[in-house]
Amino acid sequence: QVQLVESGGGSVQAGGSLRLSCAASGYTYSSNYMGWFRQAPGKEREGVAAIYRGGLSTYYADSVKGRFTISQDNAKNTVYLQMNSLKPEDTAMYYCASHLVSGGTWYRRDYRYWGQGTQVTVSS
């Protein structure tokens, strides 16, 4: 069983920064992809970023390219999402996900394990 615990959310003004962390425990060594998703009230959950095999490749939604950076510390079993130049439209609950299912796509909800989420609120 894999457990994912997100932290680092909070309230910031537009233009500010936050770093989200996702601490993983369990059979994390078998995960190929780790992803970050977000869901704003009344909207679908959307893929924000993903990292493949600890950093061989990274993927980003167009809306966050150049502002967000995903990274992974294998020694700490932790995935990070550094968010800079935050905008009010980045306001959402942010979720960490692991173990992309076979045939899945990083930006779709094709992950087996999910965290409980951490709230990010950006004010203008």
Side-chain angles (χ1 to χ4, degrees):
Q1 186 70 16
V2 173
Q3 290 187 323
L4 304 173
V5 179
E6 302 97 332
S7 63
S11 297
V12 296
Q13 291 190 325
S17 298
L18 285 173
R19 188 176 80 156
L20 305 183
S21 299
C22 173
S25 61
Y27 294 105
T28 56
Y29 64 87
S30 64
S31 180
N32 46 9
Y33 285 82
M34 299 287 293
W36 282 100
F37 284 71
R38 67 186 180 187
Q39 187 167 17
K43 293 189 176 181
E44 297 268 331
R45 190 173 297 191
E46 62 174 357
V48 175
I51 188 165
Y52 176 68
R53 293 197 180 277
L56 288 182
S57 299
T58 55
Y59 306 87
Y60 298 94
D62 288 342
S63 58
V64 306
K65 279 181 182 176
R67 300 188 298 122
F68 291 11
T69 303
I70 189 170
S71 61
Q72 185 169 350
D73 185 334
N74 291 323
K76 296 182 178 180
N77 269 354
T78 301
V79 176
Y80 303 98
L81 186 68
Q82 178 66 44
M83 306 186 296
N84 298 328
S85 302
L86 282 161
K87 304 175 181 180
E89 50 263 44
D90 294 319
T91 295
M93 184 72 78
Y94 283 71
Y95 298 89
C96 177
S98 74
H99 291 76
L100 187 68
V101 299
S102 178
T105 305
W106 77 264
Y107 54 86
R108 297 190 188 279
R109 299 179 61 176
D110 300 332
Y111 291 79
R112 186 173 302 168
Y113 302 107
W114 293 83
Q116 294 298 309
T118 185
Q119 178 68 37
V120 171
T121 303
V122 185
S123 58
S124 57

